[in-house]
Structure formats: C-alpha cells, structure tokens
Amino acid sequence: MVDVDELTHWSIDIYDNAMLVIALKNMREFALEPEDKKKWGDLHERIGMNSKKYLWDEKRNKFVPHIYVSDSPFPEDFEENAIHYHGGTAVAIEAGILNRQEIAAVLDHMVENVKLSGAPSIGLTLYPPYPSEVLGKNVSPPYEYQNGGDWTWFGGRMIQQLIANDFVEEAYDLVQPMIERVLKNEGFYEWYKIDGTPAGSGDFKGSAGVLAKSSMMFKEWVKITSSYDE
C-alpha cells in the first residue's frame, strides 16, 4: 500500500526495476508456450538493458538513487547522487544487471562506506544517509531504519551474490558480523543501529532467510570445489 498525494514525487530507481527484471526472468521460465517465453524474455532483456542504461553512473561506478519524472523533492544544492544505495545494488546484481568488474567496484564502495560510517556490516542500506534537514521531521533521521540502518535482509542478499559471482573469500569475511550478532543477540533482528544495537522485530524472517540461503550457498560452493580437487 502506497499513499499518493500532493507531496508525491514520482521517480524511477534501481531496486524496483531490478525486482521487475527478476520477476520477468521467472515469468519466462514459468511460461509453457514458446510465444509466451519470447514475450517475457524480450521484456526481461529490455527492462534490464534500460535499467543499466539510465540508472548506472559509469563515471562513479554506482547507481543513481532516483530519476524523477517531473521535479525532485530536494533543494537544488543537495547532491542526491553522492548517495550509494547498497540494497538496490545488491538486487541489481541478482538481476544480472552488473558484470563482474562492476560488482568488484560496487563492493569496494560498500566496504569503504561501512568503514566511513562505522556501521556493523555491509547491510548498511545507503551511505551517506539523507540529512534530516532535507527529509523533514516525519522521516527517519540519519542511520535510522532505511536511512542508513544496517539490514541483514539486504546485506545477506549481497553475500549471496558475492558467492554466486565467485567473490567467495570476500563473502565469507563480510558475513561474519551478521552471524556473530545473531548469536550475541539470540535473534534475527530486523535491522541494527549504527552502534550495533538491534532494532525492530527480533524474529524477522527476512534476516533468517537470507542468512540460511547464504549458508547453503557456502556449503554448495565447498562441495563443488572439493569435487574439483579429487
């Protein structure tokens, strides 16, 4: 459910487009008739290509946060494109929008942003966070919730994509803080504050699910690589 009113600024972003690309891939796989497979396949390819064309900033090796259909909600002196959207980037990798070189570049950004912010893990949703003065008093302040909070739900999906794209050593190192805080806090919390304090639901299925899948992918990688050594 989304509220649309006079304050709405319609925009385009990588998270929603990447989710659509993933859905279209699934539709192509589910389709039984050749003409349906072609229809969904063509749309999958077109949306993926245009997502990269319009939302990827080649000079900065990052996705632009938003393209506004009409006007931006922010003041002219605010540079929104300085913000790195980690969660949307992870989903874009899952959608196959970035190549391996680009994945390495965005991973470097994420690791550096975690260091600069002091965040617990690469679950950091975005960096730098939106300042309170541009968001207003009714929106999350910096490093709260989706405005720079640390979400295993996003970080775990990045871990999965690192494994899938053969950045396994990096994935293993970066998943450790996420696993350690589950054990420490005895729960799969929804998100974490910048100081590592757990917040939101303590039984967030999204956090549990992405870590479980990541663990399965690590085990599968070990099985495959072990068979090569035999």
Side-chain angles (χ1 to χ4, degrees):
M1 182 75 68
V2 176
D3 292 328
V4 177
D5 57 24
E6 68 278 3
L7 299 177
T8 299
H9 293 260
W10 294 105
S11 64
I12 302 164
D13 66 272
I14 189 56
Y15 179 82
D16 294 289
N17 276 276
M19 290 293 287
L20 177 58
V21 171
I22 294 169
L24 290 169
K25 179 182 178 182
N26 291 335
M27 291 297 292
R28 180 184 61 192
E29 293 172 352
F30 293 153
L32 300 177
E33 301 298 329
E35 58 269 26
D36 290 333
K37 284 188 176 294
K38 183 179 187 307
K39 177 182 70 175
W40 297 121
D42 289 347
L43 192 55
H44 167 265
E45 183 177 353
R46 181 156 56 90
I47 297 296
M49 181 180 64
N50 284 331
S51 297
K52 179 75 169 290
K53 177 180 179 180
Y54 292 105
L55 290 165
W56 178 249
D57 185 336
E58 290 188 6
K59 292 182 179 179
R60 299 193 184 195
N61 281 319
K62 64 180 290 293
F63 287 104
V64 300
H66 300 97
I67 296 175
Y68 294 98
V69 176
S70 55
D71 59 330
S72 166
F74 303 117
E76 291 184 2
D77 61 351
F78 177 67
E79 186 185 5
E80 190 183 17
N81 196 28
I83 298 175
H84 293 253
Y85 265 62
H86 293 184
T89 300
V91 178
I93 298 171
E94 182 180 356
I97 294 173
L98 297 184
N99 61 39
R100 196 171 191 278
Q101 183 177 356
E102 292 161 344
I103 295 171
V106 297
L107 176 59
D108 287 343
H109 289 315
M110 290 183 184
V111 171
E112 179 65 15
N113 291 342
V114 168
K115 291 179 181 178
L116 291 171
S117 67
S121 82
I122 60 166
L124 177 69
T125 55
L126 53 82
Y127 182 83
Y130 288 88
S132 294
E133 54 266 29
V134 303
L135 288 182
K137 64 180 180 180
N138 295 321
V139 184
S140 299
Y143 299 114
E144 290 285 323
Y145 203 59
Q146 293 285 4
N147 188 23
D150 185 326
W151 290 65
T152 304
W153 188 45
F154 286 121
R157 281 190 276 182
M158 186 63 186
I159 296 299
Q160 293 169 16
Q161 295 313 307
L162 291 176
I163 299 170
N165 288 279
D166 202 27
F167 292 91
V168 182
E169 184 176 346
E170 292 87 344
Y172 183 81
D173 290 339
L174 292 169
V175 79
Q176 297 307 312
M178 300 182 205
I179 296 173
E180 289 169 2
R181 65 192 182 193
V182 168
L183 299 174
K184 176 183 177 181
N185 296 300
E186 298 182 345
F188 293 93
Y189 280 85
E190 189 174 3
W191 64 282
Y192 291 80
K193 296 178 181 288
I194 199 70
D195 63 357
T197 302
S201 170
D203 297 303
F204 187 55
K205 294 179 175 63
S207 295
V210 294
L211 286 180
K213 184 174 179 179
S214 297
S215 177
M216 293 170 63
M217 291 177 70
F218 277 122
K219 290 181 179 179
E220 185 64 23
W221 179 85
V222 170
K223 181 189 297 185
I224 294 172
T225 54
S226 297
S227 67
Y228 290 155
D229 295 335
E230 293 178 354

